[in-house]
Amino acid sequence: MANGNLDKMAGGAVAAPKRGVKRSRTVYEDLQREIMLGALPPMATIVEMDIAERFACSQSTVREALIALSNDGLVERRSHRGTFVADARADDAHELIRIRRDIESRSMSRVLRRFGALLKNELVDIIEAMKSAAMQDDVYQVTIHDRAFHLNLFDAADLPSVRPVLQRCLIHNHRFKILNSGSQRDLYETAVRHEAILDALTAGDAKGATAAMAHHVTTIEEFGPDITEEEE
């Protein structure tokens, strides 16, 4: 068992599969949630046989889920040593935020070329769903909707080769924030902060949207007022 963590989380019960969802996807989503929330802490060991027993599935199904988590950078699969939950270091988080800032802020001009009522309505709905999750104090669902907002917006930039890089940045930024924010995290404010980006896009203001996105990404409470100040 992964340092005893999976036994405690499962409470000795087998996780129920979700109808209509491929079993490996269920394993992937449940393990991602536990890693993001810290129930499976950094550097914890993951044993395929124990996961397979927990989810009542084959080890090949577990292996498929772990490959997907490895692609996210959430686990490390080491030859002859097993699988471990990835570390969550501040240095890595800082660099990923800088990469994310450059990717997202530089994409705003491209996004505006395809920005219209349909995309705006999708983003408004995502923000409202984020607010609803925040009101329920569901930090993980907030991060799900947060990622959806940024990825749906970035899709309008039509840079498919860059999208996986952004997705990994988002996952690790959110994980680091969750693991280090304690009880002070204002989830509702997290949702509201996306509105400034949407307002600038609605106004057709490319420069304003670029600035709003850069400010949004770099002014994260857990890192201080602006993590890029040291660069200036």
Side-chain angles (χ1 to χ4, degrees):
M1 196 64 64
N3 290 356
N5 289 303
L6 293 176
D7 225 358
K8 295 175 184 176
M9 288 183 291
V14 174
K18 299 167 186 170
R19 294 192 175 210
V21 176
K22 190 175 181 181
R23 183 64 63 87
S24 62
R25 183 70 188 181
T26 298
V27 177
Y28 163 78
E29 290 176 350
D30 286 0
L31 292 182
Q32 186 193 77
R33 179 186 181 95
E34 290 163 9
I35 293 170
M36 294 284 288
L37 295 178
L40 272 174
M43 306 313 296
T45 304
I46 296 178
V47 179
E48 289 182 8
M49 186 179 300
D50 292 337
I51 302 292
E53 181 179 349
R54 172 186 168 188
F55 286 90
C57 64
S58 67
Q59 284 186 244
S60 61
T61 295
V62 174
R63 201 166 297 121
E64 189 176 339
L66 292 178
I67 289 172
L69 289 167
S70 178
N71 290 338
D72 289 340
L74 290 176
V75 303
E76 296 178 15
R77 295 169 59 77
R78 304 176 186 174
S79 298
H80 310 298
R81 295 184 61 188
T83 302
F84 303 84
V85 176
D87 205 351
R89 304 186 310 165
D91 287 346
D92 288 323
H94 277 69
E95 291 306 316
L96 287 169
I97 281 184
R98 292 185 177 94
I99 294 169
R100 178 185 161 192
R101 172 203 59 191
D102 291 345
I103 289 174
E104 292 199 85
S105 61
R106 287 164 60 91
S107 73
M108 288 298 98
S109 293
R110 293 178 62 93
V111 168
L112 263 176
R113 296 174 201 164
R114 299 173 176 83
F115 187 79
L118 181 60
L119 177 56
K120 178 181 177 180
N121 290 338
E122 289 177 357
L123 297 176
V124 168
D125 288 344
I126 291 172
I127 291 174
E128 291 307 309
M130 206 184 313
K131 289 178 180 177
S132 178
M135 294 294 288
Q136 298 174 49
D137 202 30
D138 190 336
V139 62
Y140 186 67
Q141 280 302 312
V142 169
T143 70
I144 291 291
H145 297 308
D146 194 322
R147 278 183 270 163
F149 177 94
H150 289 276
L151 291 172
N152 283 18
L153 184 59
F154 187 74
D155 282 342
D158 192 26
L159 296 168
S161 297
V162 183
R163 191 183 194 275
V165 179
L166 175 58
Q167 181 171 335
R168 180 177 280 216
C169 290
L170 287 163
I171 288 172
H172 286 273
N173 288 169
H174 289 165
R175 180 185 178 216
F176 187 85
K177 287 162 66 178
I178 290 170
L179 295 180
N180 293 276
S181 61
S183 60
Q184 302 301 313
R185 185 167 169 76
D186 188 337
L187 296 179
Y188 195 83
E189 179 60 26
T190 294
V192 171
R193 291 180 75 242
H194 293 77
E195 293 176 348
I197 301 167
L198 194 55
D199 289 344
L201 289 169
T202 301
D205 182 359
K207 185 175 180 180
T210 299
M213 180 61 80
H215 178 78
H216 175 89
V217 173
T218 58
T219 54
I220 297 176
E221 180 182 352
E222 290 76 13
F223 294 99
D226 187 335
I227 68 160
T228 60
E229 286 182 349
E230 63 193 66
E231 298 175 354
E232 299 176 358

